[in-house]
Amino acid sequence: MGDDDLQTKDLEFIQNIIDRLANNSFKIKGWSVTLIVVVLLFRTRDLHLLVAFIPLFGFWILDAYYLKLERRYRSMYEDARTGNQDRDQFEMDASEYSVDSILELMKSKSLVLFHGTIFILLLIYSTSVFVLWALPKMCSVSA
């Protein structure tokens, strides 16, 4: 095998990791929606709406973690593509590549558009349920 063949194989290995991480992120988004809907469907009290925020934030953090790993491997891919001499060929440890923190990545456009939209919808729904629950009590007191 020539050097070009080895570099191509190295790039394929890294790309396979990136693809798996992106696939995991996609699955996380699906599980997030599924668990939130299940919590909303099986709630027995209005206060149980608050439980729906737990999987939302949990999966938001997990999605940011996978995005962090993906960005590390994208940096590794770039080093492998350009032939960076500091990187050993076929070394798959990406921990030396620094990217934004998980909290910073939670604010990235792709994650805010998905998880933030669900957060806003949950907030609107929770508020409307609370208002519909509290409104008759407030009207009966003033009457």
Side-chain angles (χ1 to χ4, degrees), residues 2-12 79-83 89-90:
D3 285 344
D4 287 343
D5 292 337
L6 289 175
Q7 183 183 18
T8 302
K9 262 311 184 201
D10 188 29
L11 290 172
E12 286 176 13
D79 276 355
R81 187 186 65 78
T82 58
Q89 202 168 34
F90 297 105

Side-chain angles (χ1 to χ4, degrees), residues 7-18 20-21 67-99:
Q7 183 183 18
T8 302
K9 262 311 184 201
D10 188 29
L11 290 172
E12 286 176 13
F13 287 157
I14 298 169
Q15 185 60 48
N16 287 338
I17 293 171
I18 293 170
R20 282 196 308 267
L21 291 170
L67 181 59
K68 180 176 183 159
L69 290 176
E70 183 180 334
R71 287 189 177 178
R72 282 182 172 172
Y73 280 100
R74 287 184 184 277
S75 297
M76 178 187 281
Y77 185 91
E78 188 60 27
D79 276 355
R81 187 186 65 78
T82 58
N84 186 342
Q85 301 300 323
D86 293 339
R87 183 183 167 272
D88 291 335
Q89 202 168 34
F90 297 105
E91 174 62 41
M92 295 297 139
D93 181 17
S95 60
E96 67 185 46
Y97 296 93
S98 65
V99 293

Side-chain angles (χ1 to χ4, degrees), residues 1-63:
M1 270 189 146
D3 285 344
D4 287 343
D5 292 337
L6 289 175
Q7 183 183 18
T8 302
K9 262 311 184 201
D10 188 29
L11 290 172
E12 286 176 13
F13 287 157
I14 298 169
Q15 185 60 48
N16 287 338
I17 293 171
I18 293 170
D19 290 342
R20 282 196 308 267
L21 291 170
N23 188 37
N24 286 343
S25 181
F26 179 75
K27 288 178 183 177
I28 285 170
K29 287 174 175 66
W31 275 105
S32 176
V33 171
T34 302
L35 283 178
I36 290 169
V37 168
V38 166
V39 167
L40 294 177
L41 286 176
F42 291 111
R43 70 182 172 87
T44 55
R45 295 184 182 170
D46 292 334
L47 287 177
H48 291 164
L49 286 170
L50 300 177
V51 175
F53 287 94
I54 295 170
L56 172 66
F57 286 114
F59 284 115
W60 197 341
I61 292 167
L62 190 58
D63 205 4

